Amino acid sequence: MKQAGHDAIARQADEHLVTHRVKLPKKVVERPIRQVGKRLLMALLVLVATALIVYADHDGYNDNSDGSVDLLDAFYYATVTLSTTGYGDITPVSDAARLTNIFVITPLRVLFLIILVGTTLEVLTERTREEWRLNRWRSTLRDHTVVVGFGTKGRSAIQTVCATGLNKEQVVVVDPSSKVIDAATAEGYAGVIGDATRSEVLKRAEVHRARQIIIATQRDDTAVLVTLTARQLNRGAKIVAAVREEENAPLLQQSGADAVITSASAAGRLLGLSVLSPAAGMVMEDLIQQGSGLDIVERPVTRAEVGKGPRETEDLVVSVVRGHRVLGYDDPAVGELQLTDRLITIVRASPGVRVAPDARPLPRD
């Protein structure tokens, strides 16, 4: 028990340390150590080239100590010259040596300083540039999608949404694991490291400006707390949550979730359907996988369809959303389609054409 308590305290401490960290997708760049190493190597090559140039014309230089310039003196002269120290103990005396200093050594000196100073400035301004990029990201982020939990459920959910046309730049992933956030940023999503049950973490993800929130945590109690916190911060966003146990679904709905998916029972039903009819199981899996084969989408009724029955439309209509009710296509209450109705249809996904579903919460009975 004591060890378990110590572990829990350690986990809380770790979570506290990583709270408020936002990670944006990184551009494909080399590691800082490799960049610095390459620049140091370039500076060394410039130094060696300068020393060899001086040694090649060593007769045109004078050393105050012994009058001659050897290879060591050439490297010494190159070092004090490129660093702009210039002790003056070794000087060019011939016209050729002076011309070499004007047209060769001086440009090499400038290149040497650019390499070293540029490296220093890049290291010093890296944090400033990252802060500027982060502030710009916050100021432009609107109507985005927040995904809490980037496990199998969260990753699959956001891949499905992105298949309908959502830009990856409009997705923010929240997870307490830094490794998970690294994986999310590697795929092009912005990430926030922290406990999503805390309002300050969700504020970092700009939840109050989000259009839709996907909650795919590992624990049902965590999902309830995240839903409560998210709904408090954003009254108008669509919140979709996943739970393991079906008995916890009403708690999520009472907490403010617009739709609740029971992952365990949904997987079980699909397994049972596949046992009874493998082909039917394949069709159902195809329907819930956006972007290929058959897709199930929600769309408004067109003016040309007003007054017709659900079976008279070009698309295969399975349900009609009218007000706060979801009616089956064969429900007598549907009657004729109205302009304010919305249709749940099955369409064939066309390559290169994406149909983005409406962002309005699906009405509940």
Side-chain angles (χ1 to χ4, degrees), residues 6 8 47 107 193 212 255 320:
H6 289 313
L47 178 63
I193 306 174
Q212 48 201 11
S255 301
V320 178

Side-chain angles (χ1 to χ4, degrees), residues 117-136:
V117 175
T119 301
T120 303
L121 290 177
E122 183 172 354
V123 172
L124 292 177
T125 59
E126 180 66 27
R127 185 171 182 177
T128 302
R129 288 188 300 173
E130 187 65 23
E131 286 294 330
W132 177 83
R133 186 183 176 205
L134 187 59
N135 292 333
R136 182 176 178 273

Side-chain angles (χ1 to χ4, degrees), residues 13-330:
D14 292 339
E15 291 176 358
H16 180 70
L17 288 175
V18 298
T19 300
H20 303 312
R21 286 186 57 193
V22 179
K23 298 187 70 174
L24 300 181
K26 294 182 179 180
K27 299 179 181 179
V28 181
V29 295
E30 293 181 326
R31 295 179 179 179
I33 296 179
R34 181 175 296 179
Q35 290 185 0
V36 173
K38 286 178 62 176
R39 297 194 180 191
L40 289 177
L41 180 60
M42 291 172 61
L44 181 60
L45 291 176
V46 172
L47 178 63
V48 172
T50 304
L52 293 178
I53 292 173
V54 173
Y55 183 71
D57 190 25
H58 63 277
D59 292 335
Y61 291 82
N62 179 56
D63 188 352
N64 294 336
S65 62
D66 56 10
S68 62
V69 176
D70 57 14
L71 184 60
L72 179 60
D73 293 333
F75 273 96
Y76 168 75
Y77 175 78
T79 302
V80 298
T81 301
L82 293 180
S83 63
T84 68
T85 304
Y87 292 113
D89 50 350
I90 299 178
T91 57
V93 293
S94 68
D95 292 340
R98 290 178 178 179
L99 288 174
T100 302
N101 268 261
I102 294 174
F103 296 106
V104 180
I105 304 299
T106 299
L108 288 175
R109 180 189 299 118
V110 174
L111 178 61
F112 185 82
L113 293 176
I114 289 175
I115 293 172
L116 295 185
V117 175
T119 301
T120 303
L121 290 177
E122 183 172 354
V123 172
L124 292 177
T125 59
E126 180 66 27
R127 185 171 182 177
T128 302
R129 288 188 300 173
E130 187 65 23
E131 286 294 330
W132 177 83
R133 186 183 176 205
L134 187 59
N135 292 333
R136 182 176 178 273
W137 170 77
R138 286 201 182 99
S139 63
T140 57
L141 195 63
R142 296 288 189 281
D143 295 330
H144 57 289
T145 299
V146 177
V147 183
V148 180
F150 200 64
T152 302
K153 292 182 294 185
R155 184 179 286 105
S156 300
I158 201 58
Q159 287 175 351
T160 300
V161 177
C162 288
T164 64
L166 181 67
N167 196 319
K168 288 185 176 182
E169 295 179 355
Q170 287 294 105
V171 177
V172 182
V173 177
V174 181
D175 198 280
S177 172
S178 59
K179 292 182 179 180
V180 172
I181 295 300
D182 288 340
T185 55
E187 295 185 23
Y189 309 116
V192 177
I193 306 174
D195 185 0
T197 60
R198 305 177 64 178
S199 59
E200 58 265 27
V201 174
L202 291 181
K203 288 179 181 178
R204 284 281 177 172
E206 302 294 325
V207 163
H208 54 288
R209 298 175 179 176
R211 191 176 189 180
Q212 48 201 11
I213 304 169
I214 299 173
I215 301 175
T217 57
Q218 298 297 325
R219 294 170 56 94
D220 290 0
D221 54 351
T222 304
V224 173
L225 292 175
V226 173
T227 303
L228 284 169
T229 307
R231 182 54 75 194
Q232 183 181 14
L233 295 174
N234 192 329
R235 297 291 182 181
K238 177 194 291 185
I239 298 181
V240 180
V243 292
R244 291 178 177 271
E245 302 297 333
E246 196 166 359
E247 60 185 12
N248 294 327
L251 293 176
L252 266 297
Q253 293 177 339
Q254 294 174 10
S255 301
D258 295 293
V260 180
I261 305 300
T262 307
S263 57
S265 60
R269 294 189 188 99
L270 186 58
L271 285 173
L273 179 62
S274 299
V275 170
L276 297 175
S277 173
M282 293 174 61
V283 171
M284 288 301 300
E285 188 173 0
D286 180 32
L287 285 175
I288 61 178
Q289 184 176 357
Q290 293 287 325
S292 63
L294 299 175
D295 286 349
I296 183 166
V297 298
E298 178 185 351
R299 66 169 179 83
V301 173
T302 63
R303 292 187 179 275
E305 295 171 337
V306 174
K308 296 182 179 180
R311 297 184 179 180
E312 299 178 66
T313 62
E314 295 182 0
D315 295 335
L316 178 59
V317 178
V318 294
S319 294
V320 178
V321 181
R322 177 171 296 169
H324 297 281
R325 296 184 299 168
V326 179
L327 307 173
Y329 73 95
D330 57 348

Side-chain angles (χ1 to χ4, degrees), residues 323-342:
H324 297 281
R325 296 184 299 168
V326 179
L327 307 173
Y329 73 95
D330 57 348
D331 194 321
V334 174
E336 297 180 347
L337 295 177
Q338 304 174 9
L339 189 60
T340 56
D341 291 342
R342 299 188 64 81

